[in-house]
Every structure is written in C-alpha cells, then in structure tokens.
Amino acid sequence: MLVSKTPCLPECAHIAIIGGGAAGICAALGARAQLRRHGIPDAHTSICIFERNPELGIKIRISGGGKCNITHAGEMMSVLSEGFFRQNEQRFLKPAFYGLTNNDVLQWLRERGVETYTRPNGRVFPTSGKALDVLSAFKRLLSEHEIQVFPNVHISSVSRPDDAFAVAMGDAVVKAAQVIIATGGVSYSKVGTTGDGLRFAKAFGHTVVTPYAALAPIYFTKPPEAELVGVSLRQVGLLARASRVIASRMDDVLITHLGVSGPACLSLSREIALVCTSSAVDLCVNFFPKFSADDLHAKLLQLQQDHPTQFVRTFLEQQFPDAVVPFIFRAANVPVEQKWNNFTKDKRRTLVETLKCFFLGRVKDVPIERGEVSAGGVALSEVNPKTMESRLVANLYFAGEVLDVAGEVGGFNLQAAYSTGWVAGQTAAGKLCV
Ligand SMILES: Cc1cc2nc3c(=O)[nH]c(=O)nc-3n(C[C@H](O)[C@H](O)[C@H](O)COP(=O)(O)OP(=O)(O)OC[C@H]3O[C@@H](n4cnc5c(N)ncnc54)[C@H](O)[C@@H]3O)c2cc1C
C-alpha cells in the first residue's frame, strides 16, 4: 500500500474513490476483489482513495464512543427493518445489504485478529472495546488489496471534461475512468465531513435532499430545571407533539443541561428536525407507555385500595428517579405529601394525564453538527440500488452517508456504508473487466 504524507499524486487512476471512511474503504476492497475474481493482476489497475485527513476512517475511530458498534447482528432483512424505518431506504439498501452482509464484515475482521461480541440488543462490538482495532484491521485489508491511499488530499472538484473524469485537488488533477464519491454526511464537520460530495453531486445535476439532523440531541427553548439535569428515565415513551403527536419512541431518555439526549431522543430527532423549523414542537414523556390511560387509572385505584395510608409518591419513587417525582406532582397539581386515602377521582385523573404526557420542553433546535449522522443527501431515486451508479452520469457512483439514508443507532449506519461502498466498488471494477 502506498501511503504518502505529502502525496505524490498519480496522473490517472482506474478507480478514484473520494473519501476514506467505511464506504470508501469498502468500495476499494470491493473493487479489488472483483478485479481479482476476473484474474486481473493488481499491478494492472490502480484503485486510489483520496482522503483529506491525515488518516483514514476518523468516524470509525470515534464511533460508539471509541468502542465502535461495528454492525448489527441478525439476518439482513431484519437488520434492514430494525435499522431503517423508511420503506424507500429499506428498498434501496436491500440489494447492497445482501451484496456485503454483517457476517462478511465480521469474518474479515476475525481473520485479522478482531474478535467481536454481540450485546443482547444485537449491537456488535470488538471484544477489546477499541475502535482503533477495527480501523487497523481495515487498514491491513487495504494493504492486502494493494489499494493506493492518498491522505491529506482534499478534493476540490470533480468534473468530466471528456471521456475521463477530472478529480481536482487545487491545481493538480487526476484523471479517472470511474469515480466513487464516499465523502460522508455533514455532521461532525470538524472531522472533515463538510458536504463536499453533495456539491460534487449537484454539479453533475443530481438532486440533493437538504441535509438535516438525525441521531442528534434535542435542545429546548428553556433549559431543563437544574435538579433534572443528568436524570435518566428508563424505557419511557418520548412523544413529539405539534398540534398532535407527530412521532414517538419507547426507550431510555437522558435529561441534559440543554434538553434531552439518550436512545429515544436520538431515534426521534430526525422526525423532529424535519418539522421543528416550521412548527412549534413539544417533547413529553409517557411514564407508562405499556399502559393505556384506563389501565393506569385502574392500577392507581387498586393501589389506593391496597395501601390507603401510603404516600402516592412512594409508588412513583419505586419506578423512577426521585428527582423527577416532585416535578410530576407539580405538573399534576397534586401535593407531594398526598396519601392514597383521600385521593379524589379528579386528582387521580390529572395524575394519570400527567404520567401519560409530562411536558419536558419545547424544541429549540436539533443541532445537525451534533448528530451521529445527517439525513438528506443524494436523492435515492437517481442512484441505481443494485450498482450504486448514478442514473444521470455513467461511471459515477455514490456510497455511504453521502446518500439520502440515515439509520438508527445500533451499527446500522456503518453497515450501510460498508455495503453500499462494496457494491459501488464491485460495479466500478466490473466495468473495467469487460
Ligand atoms: C460520534 C459518532 C459516533 C458514531 N458511532 C457509530 C457506531 O457506533 N456505529 C455505526 O454504525 N455508526 C456510527 N456512526 C455513524 C457512522 O460513523 C457513519 O454513518 C459512517 O462512518 C459513514 O461512513 P462514510 O464512509 O459514508 O462517511 P465517513 O466515515 O464520514 O467518511 C467520509 C470521508 O470522506 C472524507 N472527505 C470528505 N470530503 C472530502 C474531500 N473533498 N476530499 C477528500 N476526502 C473527503 C472525510 O474526511 C471522511 O473521512 C457514528 C457517527 C459519529 C459522528
């Protein structure tokens, strides 16, 4: 593998891959695998990755809090439906997910010394707990596959003045027969993902769905009360309400000094980001998502009969962090010293209403910069899902987060990057074999 700190750029490349994240790396591997399958010697074809950072795979390195949630376990159809809630995303990703599966990736890693384990929720991590081990294994793979890596190369434009593409980095230009754009999304822009690929796509006439936040924390217009900051609510419902409930999730919620975070919030953030700029959105907690209001009412009545001399709050303190209980009582307008024995039907009703929809805050912002991924990107309708080739420009491909896909937390986004990258690489190389 050629790794150059001050790159000596080639004049031309058979396949130029822009961006050295999970998608770009797997595109290169897919391309070389295809060429080898056709018996084409490695020395006859150049596969180049151009990466603006000094190192490849920065997002792999920071993923999963430095532990890297590599992928999600299970059959690919269930991985798709658990990880991608939109039908068009599922449909688009399906061929790629079967082109390179979670088990394929795990086998590569295992063969290079990275053991993994699967958490009960299906998330797969390296046993060492180190994302760096995953990245090192990918770098070894690139080396084994004779991929030329050019770090510190910031591609400024891609055009096609004639039969070949011109991949420009300032004044220098590399000619390429096939170009794969794998520049990622726009969140965490400080690590290099500033949306260049979207600009390149637009220049070729592609429709780009304006990026918006996903898997992001949510900020409130009025920060949560100090006593609530750091409180974690387990397995509650998180409801986003405009004039009606627009979306909800059931999972853990973490209250932060600016609003909320945690799994339920991250999952919900994409839907909120879509509407919160045009309408006011309130976030509410349903403390008993598995109970209907009537069932909860009946449960409180039963408690009242069984424990007449007990404080009402005792029941809530048994299930939720103590800090949140006074706020529930305040919202329900029930004294915190209330006992069951003189708990009126009206109070029971307002407590049920509050427990089913406790106002947390009004959404101010879903910061795209803080999202684990960004939604939006190159419109899926203009990319062939079986090949990742542009439907507008032959020999141009898109892979990974630059596409208009965004998965849930759980290893789904990396898997989407590996799979779409692999397919793009395979197709691009396949064209060189005919
Ligand atoms: C903090 C954080 C934690 C995450 N944790 C997980 C996780 O545990 N599991 C999971 O599945 N997903 C996780 N994700 C999401 C996942 O990392 C991304 O979806 C995935 O890495 C996208 O891969 P990609 O190759 O498409 O893009 P990226 O990994 O973003 O790679 C794109 C590359 O292109 C380069 N580039 C951009 N423009 C240019 C240019 N003009 N010239 C040259 N190079 C350029 C960038 O520097 C970058 O290295 C996390 C994301 C973040 C931010």
Side-chain angles (χ1 to χ4, degrees):
M1 182 175 67
L2 174 68
V3 179
S4 55
K5 292 272 182 232
T6 42
C8 177
L9 293 168
E11 276 181 19
C12 54
H14 289 95
I15 302 177
I17 299 166
I18 307 173
I25 291 170
C26 290
L29 300 178
R32 182 63 78 205
Q34 180 75 298
L35 293 167
R36 286 182 179 173
R37 206 159 62 81
H38 283 82
I40 297 178
D42 292 352
H44 288 194
T45 44
S46 53
I47 304 171
C48 301
I49 298 181
F50 300 107
E51 167 56 54
R52 65 187 289 184
N53 287 323
E55 291 272 350
L56 297 189
I58 175 86
K59 281 205 176 158
I60 296 177
R61 189 141 60 82
I62 63 173
S63 65
K67 292 189 169 76
C68 186
N69 180 187
I70 304 165
T71 184
H72 203 89
E75 206 280 321
M76 290 318 275
M77 216 43 223
S78 69
V79 174
L80 264 178
S81 58
E82 271 182 64
F84 299 86
F85 293 165
R86 294 172 188 221
Q87 295 293 318
N88 70 324
E89 289 179 338
Q90 286 184 18
R91 266 197 309 275
F92 180 86
L93 289 172
K94 189 173 166 191
F97 268 40
Y98 282 96
L100 184 80
T101 68
N102 46 7
N103 289 332
D104 295 332
V105 176
L106 294 177
Q107 188 178 331
W108 287 346
L109 297 177
R110 202 165 34 249
E111 285 168 1
R112 279 147 199 93
V114 180
E115 294 301 328
T116 59
Y117 73 99
T118 305
R119 290 188 181 167
N121 59 8
R123 299 177 188 180
V124 185
F125 288 85
T127 309
S128 67
K130 290 184 190 148
L132 259 179
D133 292 347
V134 176
L135 186 54
S136 300
F138 275 119
K139 285 184 180 169
R140 263 184 69 189
L141 274 156
L142 290 176
S143 176
E144 291 165 19
H145 286 73
E146 297 292 338
I147 306 302
Q148 293 176 271
V149 178
F150 295 89
N152 292 314
V153 174
H154 188 177
I155 303 299
S156 46
S157 70
V158 187
S159 57
R160 192 158 71 170
D162 45 48
D163 277 358
F165 289 95
V167 179
M169 43 226 88
D171 290 340
V173 173
V174 175
K175 294 220 161 210
Q178 314 272 325
V179 169
I180 300 174
I181 297 180
T183 47
V186 303
S187 70
Y188 275 69
S189 58
K190 58 182 179 293
V191 302
T193 44
T194 49
D196 288 349
L198 303 178
R199 186 164 52 79
F200 304 154
K202 272 188 193 159
F204 279 111
H206 271 276
T207 308
V208 169
V209 177
T210 306
Y212 57 100
L215 305 186
I218 295 171
Y219 295 165
F220 291 157
T221 49
K222 183 171 170 289
E225 303 284 348
E227 298 92 315
L228 289 177
V229 173
V231 165
S232 181
L233 303 169
R234 303 262 170 232
Q235 292 301 310
V236 292
L238 186 64
L239 318 174
R241 295 171 63 103
S243 46
R244 58 184 174 83
V245 174
I246 49 175
S248 65
R249 293 288 187 279
M250 198 186 105
D251 210 321
D252 299 348
V253 173
L254 174 68
I255 302 179
T256 68
H257 64 293
L258 291 176
V260 282
S261 188
C265 159
L266 298 183
S267 177
L268 202 59
S269 60
R270 180 179 185 181
E271 271 134 302
I272 295 177
L274 265 180
V275 293
C276 72
T277 47
S278 52
S279 32
V281 180
D282 291 337
L283 276 193
C284 302
V285 172
N286 177 355
F287 284 97
F288 290 91
K290 291 184 180 157
F291 283 73
S292 69
D294 284 349
D295 290 347
L296 186 56
H297 201 272
K299 182 166 178 66
L300 296 191
L301 192 57
Q302 188 65 52
L303 283 164
Q304 187 164 2
Q305 284 158 2
D306 293 349
H307 310 282
T309 58
Q310 221 174 51
F311 287 115
V312 174
R313 66 165 195 267
T314 306
F315 161 64
L316 295 179
E317 284 167 353
Q318 283 161 356
Q319 339 228 359
F320 305 108
D322 288 358
V324 82
V325 174
F327 288 93
I328 297 173
F329 276 81
R330 192 184 306 165
N333 205 17
V334 174
V336 83
E337 298 303 316
Q338 176 74 52
K339 289 191 173 172
W340 286 116
N341 54 9
N342 55 356
F343 199 46
T344 62
K345 189 176 173 190
D346 275 355
K347 282 185 182 158
R348 213 167 43 236
R349 191 174 44 75
T350 52
L351 184 60
V352 166
E353 278 168 11
T354 306
L355 289 169
K356 293 295 289 174
C357 194
F358 173 78
F359 175 77
L360 268 184
R362 175 154 289 185
V363 176
K364 175 181 168 198
D365 186 21
V366 189
I368 192 165
E369 181 56 27
R370 301 287 314 282
E372 274 194 18
V373 289
S374 51
V378 176
L380 300 185
S381 58
E382 295 172 359
V383 179
N384 182 336
K386 293 188 177 139
T387 60
M388 296 299 142
E389 188 173 14
S390 159
R391 291 192 196 273
L392 312 185
V393 182
N395 306 329
L396 178 71
Y397 308 81
F398 297 97
E401 215 185 300
V402 72
L403 289 160
D404 180 21
V405 287
E408 294 293 304
V409 171
F412 303 104
N413 289 297
L414 278 172
Q415 184 63 49
Y418 313 135
S419 295
T420 54
W422 174 264
V423 167
Q426 290 254 300
T427 321
K431 292 222 194 169
L432 301 175
C433 301
V434 290

